[in-house]
Amino acid sequence: MKNSIHLFTIGFTQKSAETFFELLLKNNIKRVIDTRLNNVSQLAGFSKKQDLSYFLKTIGSIEYEHDLDLAPTGDILNAYKKKEITWDTYEQEFRALIKKRKIETKLTPDLLQESCFLCSEAKPHHCHRRIVAEYLSDKFTEVKIVHL
């Protein structure tokens, strides 16, 4: 294993396709791991599963994976969206979920190296991709998280 894992996160909302892909290329991303529950979203045309996979491969030879184990359940997500639970409760429930799923046993340090977790939120503060990255940084040594 390398001395440290460089793990990135990115949201596509409020980014043009040009900005989004340039950020990935500039940071030498090798793989985008989609953490969305629904990856056929209407939010940005370039972010739909089939289109995104094509663009990543064509523009930067970047691999694409969609991993539902890194996504919240519909119940947790909908409760937060409907303001039935607070962000703190959402984060607590999602952390418990990924712990129960044992995501650290499915993602190796080599797989994470120069990978980028994707979701829709523009900023990582209230986003599950940050929670996933932080959880994994507690499981593996020397993880450097960079939010693009």
Side-chain angles (χ1 to χ4, degrees):
M1 184 175 93
K2 297 169 178 69
N3 289 340
S4 65
I5 299 167
H6 290 91
L7 178 60
F8 298 82
T9 80
I10 193 168
F12 60 81
T13 303
Q14 298 177 2
K15 287 181 182 68
S16 67
E18 179 180 3
T19 298
F20 178 83
F21 291 106
E22 287 296 325
L23 279 168
L24 296 176
L25 293 170
K26 180 176 141 188
N27 287 282
N28 298 310
I29 302 303
K30 305 292 184 234
R31 176 182 303 102
V32 168
I33 303 172
D34 194 336
T35 68
R36 295 175 292 170
L37 184 61
N38 178 8
N39 65 351
V40 290
S41 169
Q42 298 292 328
L43 292 175
F46 69 86
S47 70
K48 293 183 188 102
K49 178 184 178 180
Q50 288 181 318
D51 291 339
L52 182 58
S53 178
Y54 170 79
F55 291 136
L56 288 168
K57 181 180 176 185
T58 303
I59 293 170
S61 297
I62 300 171
E63 295 176 31
Y64 172 82
E65 294 180 22
H66 182 221
D67 191 337
L68 284 172
D69 283 337
L70 307 181
T73 62
D75 291 343
I76 295 172
L77 185 59
N78 290 333
Y80 176 68
K81 284 182 175 181
K82 293 177 182 176
K83 301 185 187 304
E84 295 169 357
I85 60 174
T86 64
W87 173 256
D88 290 339
T89 302
Y90 172 92
E91 189 166 344
Q92 184 178 35
E93 288 184 17
F94 184 64
R95 283 185 189 275
L97 177 65
I98 58 177
K99 182 178 180 180
K100 180 180 175 186
R101 289 177 175 167
K102 298 181 181 182
I103 63 170
E104 69 276 12
T105 64
K106 301 167 186 173
L107 300 168
T108 66
D110 284 341
L111 177 82
L112 294 175
Q113 181 71 315
E114 297 173 336
S115 286
C116 186
F117 291 142
L118 166 80
C119 79
S120 61
E121 295 297 323
K123 305 277 185 203
H125 309 79
H126 286 123
C127 182
H128 72 279
R129 72 180 187 266
R130 174 190 55 83
I131 299 167
V132 170
E134 289 174 356
Y135 176 86
L136 291 170
S137 75
D138 289 340
K139 300 297 178 186
F140 300 116
T141 58
E142 301 291 325
V143 175
K144 180 181 179 198
I145 300 169
V146 179
H147 301 290
L148 302 178

